């Protein structure tokens, strides 16, 4: 699958708020330009010696990816080495397998460090049990044993999605099934992946999984993937040609494995953000300390009006908004004439575009900004916590962090502090796994507080990640 389109104003995926935390929570920290991993007590799981670290989802990919002296390796969440840092290049980690180059050829490895059969000129991540591989200048597909099961005969290929993969011969694209048989359909010049039974081909035709083109879209400048609710984002360009119209955007935590670049945050704090080279998993690679980040996951022109179409090609949400987010739950964010609201999958405005800033709902509340102050609304648009805070983070449990009048702390869902706000906590990250990173105002170092705003890991780091 393709990477998901992302948002300019940041919030967090509702999935995190709905997922129970695992017992072994870890966070990435940095000191003197070197990164390591700690547990909730502050004990080092991995020493602070690595250039970059990304922590995988504790259920789907329970490993830690490290970069040391320009090479990549894997550890488990207890700090045991699974694969020594020997890989010069890597694929995304997907379906329990990583591809990498140790010498000149690509190989695949399990997350326990075992190398699979086969050596390849190029390789990509697994999807639906198969991975694109290149040998003797042609592309085919290998299975999870490393065996080439679809012969290398194509000029280019895309990964499998919903049982079909686009393959290119000469200048034309076709679709094949997992057994290598050809989908009986006409060839296309531009091929997309299938999502919700639909692929966008030739710049605007909708094709079903039988290979039939059945609807033609309007001439949109952008068409995204169809989401679980059967809608796909579309965009029409406004009259502007300035390079400054293009902005890097990314939503929430990031998709998949890889290394990202700078990001913007809701709260104070700047730093690198990892992820967004993946496809369809959500690994929640986090930004640093006081921010929930946006990664440069896709480049979209700010001169574009956005909306949504259904699988029949009909506009459900007219492309009249300067921004629409992916759907999280039943709602998507919209920006209309500089103000933020939310719409449902039928295009009905559920939360009027009346806020200076707005985050998605999490734990039944959404953070909003008005008159330069933050508060929270419920799903009926009722103000539950008045906008009196300088900054807030989304609720991922029954409490969250907030800053007011240069003092910070933890609040409950009524907005009441669980302990008196303190000036040393004026920079705070989100509360996850009963830990929130904070930057000590005097020491200028990051540490952690618990859900009662008590310091549990003393401020000692230049950067502090979010526990997962």
């Amino acid at each position: 699958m393709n990477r998901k389109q992302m948002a300019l104003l940041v919030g967090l995926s509702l999935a995190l708020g709905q997922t129970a935390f695992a017992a072994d929570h870890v966070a990435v920290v940095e000191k003197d330009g070197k990164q390591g991993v700690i547990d909730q007590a502050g004990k080092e799981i991995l020493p602070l010696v690595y250039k970059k670290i990304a922590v995988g989802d504790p259920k789907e990919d329970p490993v830690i990816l490290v970069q040391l002296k320009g090479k990549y390796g894997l550890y488990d969440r207890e700090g045991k080495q699974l694969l020594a840092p020997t890989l010069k290049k890597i694929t995304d980690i997907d379906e329990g397998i990583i591809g990498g180059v140790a010498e000149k050829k690509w190989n695949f490895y399990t997350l326990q460090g075992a190398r699979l059969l086969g050596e390849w000129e190029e390789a990509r991540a697994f999807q639906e049990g198969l991975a694109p591989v290149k040998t003797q200048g042609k592309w085919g597909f290998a299975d999870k044993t490393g065996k080439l099961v679809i012969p290398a005969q194509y000029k280019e290929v895309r990964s499998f999605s919903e049982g079909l993969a686009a393959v290119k011969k000469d200048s034309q694209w076709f679709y094949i099934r997992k057994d290598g048989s050809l989908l009986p359909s006409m060839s296309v010049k531009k091929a997309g992946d299938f999502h919700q039974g639909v692929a966008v081909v030739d710049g605007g035709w909708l094709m079903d999984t039988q290979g039939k083109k059945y609807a033609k879209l309007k001439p949109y400048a952008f068409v995204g993937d169809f989401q679980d609710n059967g809608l796909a984002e579309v965009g029409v360009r406004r009259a502007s040609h300035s390079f400054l119209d293009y902005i890097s955007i990314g939503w929430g935590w990031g998709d998949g494995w890889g290394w990202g670049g700078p990001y913007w945050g809701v709260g104070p704090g700047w730093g690198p953000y990892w992820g967004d080279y993946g496809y369809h998993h959500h690994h929640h690679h986090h930004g640093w300390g006081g921010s929930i980040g946006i990664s440069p996951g896709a480049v979209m022109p700010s001169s574009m009006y956005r909306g949504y179409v259904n699988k029949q090609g009909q506009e459900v949400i007219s492309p009249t908004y300067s921004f629409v987010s992916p759907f999280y739950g039943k709602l998507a964010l919209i920006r209309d004439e500089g103000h933020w609201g939310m719409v449902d999958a039928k295009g009905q405005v559920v939360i009027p575009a009346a806020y200076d800033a707005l985050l998605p709902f999490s734990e039944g509340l959404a953070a909003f900004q008005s008159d330069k102050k933050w508060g929270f609304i419920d799903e009926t648009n009722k103000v539950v916590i008045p906008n009196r805070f300088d900054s807030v983070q989304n609720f991922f449990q029954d409490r969250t962090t907030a800053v007011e009048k240069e003092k910070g702390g933890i609040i409950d869902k009524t907005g009441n502090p669980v302990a008196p706000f303190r000036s040393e906590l004026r920079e705070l990250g989100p509360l996850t796994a009963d830990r929130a990173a904070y930057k000590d105002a005097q020491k200028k170092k990051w540490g952690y507080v618990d859900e009662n705003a008590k310091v549990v890991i003393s401020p000692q780091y230049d950067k502090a990640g979010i526990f997962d």
Side-chain angles (χ1 to χ4, degrees):
M1 291 184 173
N2 293 326
R3 62 182 67 163
K4 292 180 181 295
Q5 300 305 322
M6 308 279 179
L8 173 60
L9 186 71
V10 203
L12 298 171
S13 166
L14 292 182
L16 182 59
Q18 296 169 348
T19 301
F21 291 102
D24 54 339
H25 305 294
V26 297
V28 180
V29 292
E30 181 174 309
K31 187 185 296 184
D32 300 326
K34 300 294 185 181
Q35 296 179 6
V37 176
I38 61 172
D39 65 15
Q40 287 175 289
K43 177 184 175 182
E44 286 188 3
I45 303 298
L46 292 180
L48 282 80
V49 298
Y50 300 97
K51 182 179 179 181
K52 288 183 180 179
I53 295 178
V55 177
D57 182 272
K59 292 184 178 180
E60 295 184 27
D61 298 316
V63 293
I64 300 171
L65 177 67
V66 303
Q67 185 184 31
L68 180 66
K69 297 180 180 180
K71 296 184 178 181
Y72 303 92
L74 292 176
Y75 290 81
D76 67 18
R77 292 172 72 95
E78 283 72 45
K80 178 183 175 182
Q81 182 176 285
L82 302 172
L83 181 62
T86 57
L87 302 180
K88 295 180 288 187
K89 299 178 181 179
I90 56 172
T91 67
D92 299 327
I93 296 175
D94 224 335
E95 300 187 4
I97 295 175
I98 183 173
V101 177
E103 297 296 336
K104 295 182 179 180
K105 295 287 188 177
W106 284 84
N107 297 97
F108 288 109
Y109 302 82
T110 70
L111 297 190
Q112 291 72 42
R115 192 173 81 175
L116 303 182
L117 299 173
E119 289 188 334
W120 316 103
E121 295 169 12
E122 293 184 48
R124 299 176 191 157
F126 274 86
Q127 282 188 239
E128 299 188 1
L130 297 174
V133 293
K134 188 177 185 180
T135 182
Q136 297 183 346
K138 297 291 185 179
W139 286 92
F141 291 87
D143 66 14
K144 287 189 175 182
T145 70
K147 179 183 177 181
L148 188 68
V149 292
I150 297 179
Q153 56 183 308
Y154 302 109
K155 182 178 180 180
E156 182 58 87
V157 298
R158 298 177 67 90
S159 295
F160 274 91
S161 60
E162 300 187 358
L164 297 168
V167 296
K168 189 175 186 180
K169 280 192 172 183
D170 298 323
S171 62
Q172 296 295 108
W173 287 88
F174 302 85
Y175 287 91
I176 60 171
R177 304 182 182 93
K178 287 186 178 181
D179 61 2
S181 62
L182 189 68
L183 182 70
S185 65
M186 65 183 73
S187 63
V188 296
K189 292 183 178 181
K190 293 182 180 180
D193 296 332
F194 279 91
H195 300 271
Q196 298 295 307
V198 182
V200 181
V201 300
D202 288 340
W205 279 95
L206 301 184
M207 176 185 282
D208 64 23
T209 55
Q210 302 304 311
K212 177 183 177 182
K213 294 180 180 179
Y214 67 90
K216 182 73 167 66
L217 297 174
K218 293 180 180 180
Y220 297 111
F222 164 77
V223 182
D225 298 329
F226 281 93
Q227 301 177 30
D228 291 345
N229 61 6
L231 301 183
E233 184 182 343
V234 294
V236 295
R237 201 180 305 278
R238 291 183 261 177
S240 179
H241 304 285
S242 170
F243 175 77
L244 296 177
D245 285 333
Y246 287 80
I247 51 177
S248 293
I249 60 175
W251 179 262
W253 301 94
D255 292 347
W257 289 88
W259 310 115
Y263 68 90
W264 295 270
V266 174
W270 297 80
Y273 177 94
W274 312 315
D276 199 50
Y277 289 92
Y279 295 87
H280 62 294
H281 290 312
H282 301 279
H283 293 290
H284 310 309
H285 299 306
H286 306 317
W288 294 112
S291 297
I292 300 303
I294 321 183
S295 78
V299 177
M300 289 278 287
S302 61
S303 59
M304 187 176 288
Y305 288 111
R306 300 174 176 88
Y308 275 92
V309 297
N310 61 22
K311 290 192 288 186
Q312 289 71 48
Q314 301 164 331
E315 288 183 356
V316 176
I317 300 174
S318 297
T320 57
Y321 298 110
S322 58
F323 169 81
V324 295
S325 78
F327 276 85
Y328 288 93
K330 298 180 180 180
L331 302 177
L333 291 172
I334 56 170
R335 184 173 63 199
D336 189 14
E337 297 184 355
H339 292 90
W340 293 80
M342 297 186 191
V343 296
D344 62 19
K346 295 181 179 180
Q348 299 297 315
V349 175
V350 177
I351 305 295
Y355 299 105
D356 298 334
L358 187 63
L359 303 185
F361 281 100
S362 181
E363 295 288 323
L365 296 176
F368 74 92
Q369 186 188 52
S370 184
D371 298 327
K372 299 181 179 181
K373 297 292 182 181
W374 287 87
F376 290 86
I377 58 173
D378 65 16
E379 294 175 351
T380 69
N381 199 32
K382 176 184 176 182
V383 174
V384 176
I385 301 175
N387 54 315
R388 66 175 188 269
F389 298 105
D390 300 320
S391 65
V392 297
Q393 303 287 350
N394 266 15
F395 281 91
F396 296 107
Q397 39 194 98
D398 290 336
R399 299 176 180 184
T400 192
T401 57
V403 176
E404 183 179 13
K405 298 179 180 178
E406 297 190 350
K407 294 182 178 181
I410 310 292
I411 61 173
D412 62 22
K413 282 191 168 183
T414 66
N416 292 322
V418 301
F421 276 25
R422 308 194 302 273
S423 59
E424 66 178 302
L425 305 182
R426 69 182 63 173
E427 290 189 46
L428 280 162
L431 181 67
T432 62
D434 297 335
R435 294 290 184 269
Y438 82 100
K439 186 176 183 180
D440 186 276
Q442 293 183 334
K443 297 180 179 179
K444 307 298 182 182
K445 296 290 184 179
W446 288 87
Y448 292 87
V449 296
D450 65 13
E451 62 178 353
N452 296 311
K454 177 183 177 182
V455 175
V456 289
I457 300 175
S458 61
Q460 57 191 287
Y461 304 109
D462 298 329
K463 297 175 181 178
I466 297 168
F467 274 94
D468 191 9

